[in-house]
Amino acid sequence: MDISIAKRFLLLAQHPEKGRMLISGIHLQFGLAGALLLQMSMEDKLNLKDELVYIKKGAMFNDPQLLQIAEMIQSSRKPRKMKYWIQKIGHKASRWRYHYYDQMAKERLIKVEKKKFLGLIPYTQTYLLNSQVRNKLIQDLKSEIFRKKNIAPENMAVLGLVEACKMHNVLSKEKNQLKTLKKDLQQLVKESPISTNVDKTISEVQAAIISTIIATNVATTTAATAG
């Protein structure tokens, strides 16, 4: 089964037993934004020049979300940096994830349940159906980290998201192994031989998450002080 970077990210983020995610909403939305841009980079449809993002001429997209991102970038009044697009796409990604949930449900990877809180407020819960696919993905990523060389570009992109979104606990629950995985993964991302586009996307996902968390904390503190 050919699984896109976005779906791999969502599979890793999904709780293996409960109907919830293992990461915060902020990590989820900016991580998914990064996954979509990384997919475009992996498919050689996105280019960085002087730190500005461009869509390559003649690029074709089958994924409607990738097409929408490409149209956003192309219709922008001026070329923008990766940070801008991570932020802009991140705010849309919280809705876009349902597109991938529907696809993953059809592929029998997850189950999607639509519910209403107090019979009024709609919300969605997702449950893992195919634990074998998720477990194999985790094992493959761990093997790549320990091997430390000849890492498949798609796996390196996913590992970059794991690092950016602080998803290390997904890879292992064993304390000593987790410590080694964290250290080795940080080094891998830092010395990654993959393209500058991928490296820049990963670093901007991290920056977007950090800046959003800081802004949220400041707003919360300000509101609490005012109250």
Side-chain angles (χ1 to χ4, degrees):
M1 183 184 297
D2 185 22
I3 305 177
S4 69
I5 294 174
K7 292 178 185 178
R8 294 187 203 190
F9 173 73
L10 291 173
L11 267 180
L12 290 175
Q14 175 67 47
H15 194 289
E17 298 169 358
K18 301 178 181 179
R20 62 179 177 84
M21 297 290 110
L22 293 169
I23 58 177
S24 71
I26 291 173
H27 287 90
L28 184 65
Q29 68 184 76
F30 289 113
L32 182 55
L36 296 172
L37 287 165
L38 285 167
Q39 187 70 51
M40 295 171 77
S41 182
M42 289 288 103
E43 294 176 2
D44 197 30
K45 295 173 181 177
L46 178 149
N47 192 32
L48 273 179
K49 184 178 181 182
D50 298 327
E51 296 193 352
L52 300 175
V53 179
Y54 298 89
I55 300 300
K56 289 195 172 182
K57 187 176 180 179
M60 303 292 288
F61 299 92
N62 294 321
D63 186 318
Q65 262 55 56
L66 297 187
L67 176 60
Q68 192 169 340
I69 291 172
E71 290 173 345
M72 286 167 55
I73 294 173
Q74 289 173 322
S75 63
S76 178
R77 289 180 298 172
K78 62 179 182 179
R80 308 274 189 172
K81 292 185 177 182
M82 185 66 77
K83 180 179 180 179
Y84 173 89
W85 292 115
I86 289 288
Q87 292 275 0
K88 190 172 183 64
I89 296 165
H91 292 301
K92 294 179 179 292
S94 58
R95 298 193 309 273
W96 287 355
R97 73 180 189 272
Y98 296 110
H99 164 76
Y100 296 103
Y101 286 160
D102 288 343
Q103 287 189 347
M104 293 164 74
K106 290 176 182 177
E107 295 163 351
R108 304 293 296 166
L109 293 172
I110 63 171
K111 177 176 68 173
V112 179
E113 291 187 359
K114 298 185 183 298
K115 302 180 179 181
K116 287 188 177 181
F117 180 66
L118 299 178
L120 298 171
I121 306 171
Y123 67 98
T124 300
Q125 284 187 306
T126 56
Y127 296 86
L128 185 68
L129 281 182
N130 194 329
S131 59
Q132 289 184 334
V133 172
R134 185 176 184 274
N135 290 341
K136 184 178 185 308
L137 174 57
I138 291 172
Q139 189 55 52
D140 287 348
L141 293 175
K142 287 167 64 174
S143 297
E144 295 275 41
I145 294 173
F146 289 131
R147 189 164 56 245
K148 300 180 181 179
K149 59 182 180 179
N150 300 323
I151 299 176
E154 293 81 3
N155 283 342
M156 191 63 241
V158 176
L159 286 171
L161 291 171
V162 169
E163 173 65 20
C165 298
K166 305 303 176 188
M167 297 168 66
H168 308 95
N169 289 343
V170 170
L171 299 180
S172 178
K173 301 297 183 185
E174 187 182 329
K175 188 175 180 180
N176 290 334
Q177 187 182 67
L178 182 59
K179 185 177 180 180
T180 302
L181 282 169
K182 282 184 178 181
K183 182 180 177 181
D184 289 349
L185 180 53
Q186 287 173 354
Q187 195 68 22
L188 274 176
V189 172
K190 184 178 179 181
E191 300 176 354
S192 172
I194 56 180
S195 75
T196 304
N197 293 6
V198 174
D199 181 62
K200 190 66 176 175
T201 302
I202 290 169
S203 65
E204 292 300 350
V205 169
Q206 291 174 313
I209 290 168
I210 292 169
S211 63
T212 302
I213 290 173
I214 291 172
T216 302
N217 290 340
V218 169
T220 303
T221 304
T222 302
T225 305

